[in-house]
Amino acid sequence: MTIPRNLALGLACGLVAAAAAADVQAQARSQTETVVVTRVEPAPYDAAVARRSDLARELIGLSVGPNFAKEFERAMVTQMNSIGDKAGEESAWVRANMPPMMSRMLARVMEEMVPVYATIYTEEELGAQIDFYRTPAGRAVAAKTLSLGVALQEAQDSVLTSFMAEFESKYCARFDCGEDTETAAKSRR
């Protein structure tokens, strides 16, 4: 059973027991003064999920590399510096505030990944990946994670942009998209 289901089941049992106890108490008071105390036990601790979560957290830390947060923030600063002084005070504010905010967001995303990894991978699979990332080859792969992510994002953006232009062009050739959309589609061909 899952933890939420166990909690719900425990709560339901507790409520039934409390209702039964109240009935028993009412009957007992008419005969003698007996008090029944019920206690709802929390759901049992799932040690396997906890172990997989710990392993997942370790794997995520190893697989992104030891300096990932610093490299990420440095890449963000570089990206923000490309904005230049186009918007004056606003761009200066973005350059100053965006990198640390993105770093905090990244830390949160990595923590949110833990239950996903713990659900998808077995302890054996997590352990094998951890063992790999502790090797020299694994550390080299982890060090390239950020560069790979950026390159993959650029490739995906390029392919998606091309796909959307082709789709819009063909769709608008078949259906009436209006003058603005047709002109935009034709200019992207």
Side-chain angles (χ1 to χ4, degrees):
M1 285 188 185
T2 64
I3 291 174
R5 185 169 178 211
N6 285 340
L7 288 172
L9 185 59
L11 181 59
C13 289
L15 291 174
V16 168
D23 187 42
V24 167
Q25 286 175 348
Q27 290 176 6
R29 282 195 188 113
S30 66
Q31 298 168 359
T32 62
E33 283 295 318
T34 304
V35 176
V36 177
V37 178
T38 60
R39 185 174 131 182
V40 176
E41 292 291 324
Y45 178 74
D46 191 340
V49 170
R51 281 192 308 275
R52 285 195 317 274
S53 294
D54 288 342
L55 290 170
R57 195 170 282 106
E58 182 178 356
L59 171 59
I60 292 166
L62 288 169
S63 65
V64 298
N67 298 315
F68 185 75
K70 291 177 189 173
E71 291 172 27
F72 181 79
E73 192 159 333
R74 191 176 354 188
M76 285 299 303
V77 167
T78 300
Q79 184 70 26
M80 293 296 106
N81 286 338
S82 70
I83 292 174
D85 289 325
K86 295 175 187 166
E89 184 181 345
E90 289 179 26
S91 65
W93 185 91
V94 170
R95 283 194 310 273
N97 289 283
M98 182 65 83
M101 290 171 71
M102 289 293 289
S103 292
R104 288 191 302 274
M105 184 264 322
L106 177 65
R108 183 172 172 210
V109 166
M110 290 172 59
E111 189 58 33
E112 294 290 326
M113 290 167 49
V114 169
V116 175
Y117 276 57
T119 300
I120 292 174
Y121 295 116
T122 65
E123 284 184 48
E124 181 180 290
E125 293 165 338
L126 290 164
Q129 291 180 76
I130 288 168
D131 290 345
F132 168 71
Y133 281 109
R134 287 184 175 152
T135 67
R139 286 190 297 274
V141 167
K144 296 173 185 174
T145 298
L146 183 61
S147 299
L148 176 63
V150 170
L152 288 175
Q153 184 65 44
E154 289 171 357
Q156 289 171 351
D157 289 348
S158 173
V159 170
L160 184 58
T161 300
S162 175
F163 165 78
M164 289 306 294
E166 178 184 1
F167 177 80
E168 183 179 18
S169 172
K170 290 181 178 183
Y171 181 87
C172 291
R174 173 69 175 90
F175 301 100
D176 182 19
C177 294
E179 191 173 312
D180 292 337
T181 307
E182 289 179 26
T183 306
K186 289 176 184 173
S187 68
R188 282 187 233 137
R189 287 187 205 162

